[in-house]
Amino acid sequence: MSENKDQKFVYDFTEGNRDLKDLLGGKGANLAEMTNLGLPVPPGFTITTEACKVYLESGTAPAELRDEVSAHLAALEAKMGKKLGQSDDPLLVSVRSGAKFSMPGMMDTVLNIGLSDESVTGLAAQSGDERFAWDSYRRLIQMFGKTVLGVEGELFEDALDEAKAAKKVTVDTDLDAADLKKLVKHFKKIVAKDAGREFPQDAREQMDLAVEAVFNSWNTDRAKLYRRQERIPSDLGTAVNICSMVFGNLGPDSGTGVAFTRDPASGHAGVYGDYLQNAQGEDVVAGIRNTVPLADLEAIDKASYDQLIEIMTTLETHYKDLCDIEFTIERGQLWMLQTRVGKRTAGAAFRIATQLVDQGLISEAEALQRVTGHQLAQLMFPRFDGEAKSTLLGRGIAASPGAAVGKAVFDSYTAVKWSRSGEKVILIRRETNPDDLDGMIASEGILTSRGGKTSHAAVVARGMGKTCVCGAEELDVDTKRRRMTVGETVIEEGDVVSIDGSTGKVYLGEVPVVPSPVVEYFEGRMHAGADDADELVAAVHRIMAYADRVRRLRVRANADNAEDALRARRFGAQGIGLCRTEHMFLGERREMVERLILADTDGEREEALSALLPLQKKDFVELFEAMDGLPVTVRLLDPPLHEFLPDITELSVRVALAESRKDANENDLRLLQAVHKLHEQNPMLGLRGVRLGLVIPGLFKMQVRAIAEAAAERKNAKGDPRAEIMVPLVGTVQELEIVREEADAVIAEVEAATGTSLKLTIGTMIELPRAALTAGQIAEAAQFFSFGTNDLTQTVWGFSRDDVEASFFTAYLEKGIFGVSPFETIDRDGVGSLVRSAVQAGRATRPDLKLGVCGEHGGDPESVHFFHEVGLDYVSCSPFRIPVARLEAGRAAAEAKGSDSR
Ligand code: PEP
Ligand code: MG
């Protein structure tokens, strides 16, 4: 770093470019890019992130920085023909932070640096506007006091309010030069008292202190938290931009505004933005006066407007993307203050990407990189009918997408009670905690008035896929009185509310919900090529088609019945990667499993198994038919048996009551004994998976027979069944060998009896650390592996998968231990490294070993990239996530190809 003799710590705007974001930050790199495009950017320079790093590491700025800044400042002064803070005609500058990624929580901007008791009169004389000069000075003291010297912002605001009240006016612009002069005096007193030092009169000192404040703001608590959550490395540092001031508040021929090169909501090209006449940047953000639509600028200042439109075209063609822009007009002269590739809605991302392909600006491969699986997932939620009339109550944080409508309830008990009687409810709390879990499950959606994206409500709701709006601070939630107040409106328990988890909006009453057109398209109910096809659907169709063309990973579904299998096929599934057979033993069949568990003799057990066999077979016939021609991985029974038995407390009470009435039921007594016998402290680590198959005679054999007979039946019906038999929770190859031997024998029997050749394959899940560590041995007996990353995450971390997310994950997320739950996104370093080594070991033993994943991570965008990288053959996920997995598999392949060819 500082040892490097050639290292520069300061770059003039003319020296940088947009590729230097690491060094110059996003803002600095883009200012340099615009300068080099010949656009009107006020001259200035950028102090690099490297200088910030030295400052953060050593506590002082690099020794060379002062001289470098002096040299660049001198050049700037020469260019502008005036000196910083010069008393008769001061050069004024802004100091703005600008990290590589835009980051809330960091110091933003100090404007008007260079003004002092002396130079304020020079500015008044030069501008011919005394009021403007004093207003600029009071703004400097206020911003500098607050952000550089740490003075409580409210002190300034109160003083401003007092000044207005004294004059009986309501807006700042009604204060004249004399009033502002007095206010400056007052502001300076506030600084001296609160900061313990005078407001600095030396311009260079102002600038240096502001630069240091920007460096320090890298480490504010909010900035640190944001970085941890967004996984932004903490050692990047921020750049500092020093830019000569231009003024939008010099009269009606001045102003400031923001603009987008196309509509960030729809993607359509056009003139979008806002303009505020006679104002400085912060007035727009503060909403002090109403802005006018950008199109109105044409009537106000046609020359500037035409120039701006031309610049917007230049920027869009140059960046090949939607750009957003901040600009200022100073007495009829247009200045560009900032540009960047602009944020957009999920729908606009798809539309813009295809529009840019059509304009010949980007390739299809690039278009695929411009959209994400998260955006596609957002487009698949039902949404509120935008056309419908609605009454907005307030707005919070869009924590978990979806549109939910229900009656307001203020405690979990009522949520459960009402939902049991068929009511749809929205659980409203100030904030939720683990005690609210039942209520959250019972509700359509969750609304809280406190907490952010990682609050308990947000984390748990996202985990459940439930709509959630949190931190809606305007709502005054009174759980004791079971009501919520918003301004004048009171919402009592039972009143209907609607919440939109994609926008954070909260409405009074029922807002009608419409299905997502994108889902209608995937379901085959809307055609992308139809004349009246939705523009969004057409864009999604094109990008999906391209993703399918380039992806290497196949995508399968986790599905246990024909209905889900058929939907999965419509959504593009190329087979079933996980059929959880335990789901076939619920409902009425539960009693049959009870009989199997209670069986005392071989005869009783055989009887119970034979009763189950035809039912299992029928399930498989239906499934193989729905997935005809595609692979179907059927997993043998996995969960601990006690899950099929009644709840221990309920049963104990039933037996005790019966005994007290002296009419004890023999079956209940036996059941209770069995429940006690099978009770485990840690059922997830107990008698489940392959262990069950090894200790309950005949159980797995029955399942294998059902699969084989179903396959034979489909074959005889001229179908094309492609069953794969999967053994769960294997930890050692010996377990698999025993099961496989038995299974092979059963299959041979069925083949002989039906005269068919079934070609069934037998493989295993890899979901225990030991299985992953001995994958080379296990591959001797397995024809395929499917990574069960749910159990693998549970066992690698020692996290109980059913408990931790709702108990302490909020705290872990808040502390930034991880940015996202490892049950949601694969933990590359831990769990992922086991997957990677198991892939290598497995393939070393058996080069044609088929490899997939069927844990929840199979449908998670970030994880899909990992599975592509480690060379799996397929990912398997719930039917609804299949399109997301297809898209991300395409993106992963295109990205890898892009980096290969670089
Ligand atoms: C897994 O553990 O990842 C898996 C798919 O199995 P289950 O979730 O059924 O335990
Ligand atoms: Mg599992």
Side-chain angles (χ1 to χ4, degrees), residues 635 638 688 729 765 767 788 790-791 801:
R635 181 176 73 183
D638 181 29
R688 56 173 283 224
L729 218 75
M765 296 198 66
E767 50 185 345
N790 302 334
D791 272 307
R801 62 193 260 193

Side-chain angles (χ1 to χ4, degrees), residues 365-366 368-369 546 550-553 828 864-871 887-902:
E366 179 62 32
L368 183 56
Q369 297 306 335
Y546 184 76
V550 297
R551 71 187 155 92
R552 181 187 59 73
L553 278 175
R828 283 176 174 249
V864 170
H865 285 245
F866 173 77
F867 298 128
H868 172 89
E869 278 165 43
V870 298
L887 182 77
E888 290 293 351
R891 295 185 67 222
E895 205 175 272
K897 215 164 157 196
S899 60
D900 284 352
S901 61
R902 247 174 242 146

Side-chain angles (χ1 to χ4, degrees), residues 518-537:
V518 173
V519 170
E520 294 294 283
Y521 153 71
F522 285 129
E523 285 284 13
R525 291 193 286 260
M526 190 188 274
H527 292 281
D531 286 347
D532 60 345
D534 190 292
E535 202 189 327
L536 171 63
V537 164

Side-chain angles (χ1 to χ4, degrees), residues 43 149 275 315 347 561 705 771:
L149 300 176
Y275 182 67
L315 283 174
N561 55 54
R705 182 174 296 279

Side-chain angles (χ1 to χ4, degrees), residues 273-440:
D274 302 300
Y275 182 67
L276 189 56
Q277 220 171 337
N278 195 9
Q280 251 186 336
E282 80 257 31
D283 299 335
V284 179
V285 185
I288 295 166
R289 280 178 281 142
N290 286 337
T291 56
V292 297
L294 185 60
D296 292 6
L297 177 61
E298 187 170 16
I300 299 170
D301 179 351
K302 179 146 173 40
S304 296
Y305 176 81
D306 289 345
Q307 191 189 356
L308 181 67
I309 299 296
E310 205 184 304
I311 290 175
M312 279 162 54
T313 314
T314 307
L315 283 174
E316 212 188 65
T317 320
H318 183 70
Y319 281 86
K320 300 183 174 27
D321 207 344
L322 169 146
C323 296
D324 72 25
I325 293 161
E326 282 177 24
F327 67 93
T328 281
I329 298 174
E330 182 183 283
R331 292 185 170 154
Q333 160 75 47
L334 175 68
W335 294 101
M336 306 303 295
L337 299 187
Q338 177 172 324
T339 192
R340 63 183 169 194
V341 166
K343 295 217 161 45
R344 63 208 67 189
T345 62
F350 278 84
R351 289 197 202 95
I352 292 173
T354 51
Q355 286 162 8
L356 294 172
V357 172
D358 290 340
Q359 281 176 250
L361 284 173
I362 61 172
S363 64
E364 282 189 302
E366 179 62 32
L368 183 56
Q369 297 306 335
R370 298 279 179 94
V371 295
T372 66
H374 288 294
Q375 288 168 331
L376 182 60
Q378 268 198 0
L379 296 175
M380 291 177 68
F381 284 100
R383 55 187 189 201
F384 287 129
D385 182 355
E387 310 284 296
K389 265 205 178 147
S390 55
T391 314
L392 187 67
L393 275 179
R395 195 171 185 152
I397 294 165
S400 179
V405 183
K407 291 188 170 169
V409 292
F410 295 90
D411 65 304
S412 284
Y413 175 77
T414 314
V416 173
K417 198 168 108 190
W418 287 22
S419 90
R420 283 205 179 134
S421 60
E423 300 277 12
K424 290 193 154 94
V425 298
I426 303 284
L427 178 64
I428 305 174
R429 308 279 292 160
R430 276 197 199 131
E431 52 202 340
T432 61
N433 62 46
D435 295 339
D436 289 315
L437 209 60
D438 288 348
M440 295 172 81

Side-chain angles (χ1 to χ4, degrees), residues 97-112:
S97 66
K100 179 176 181 185
F101 306 103
S102 97
M103 249 171 50
M106 274 177 45
M107 192 193 99
D108 193 18
T109 306
V110 182
L111 303 177
N112 306 341

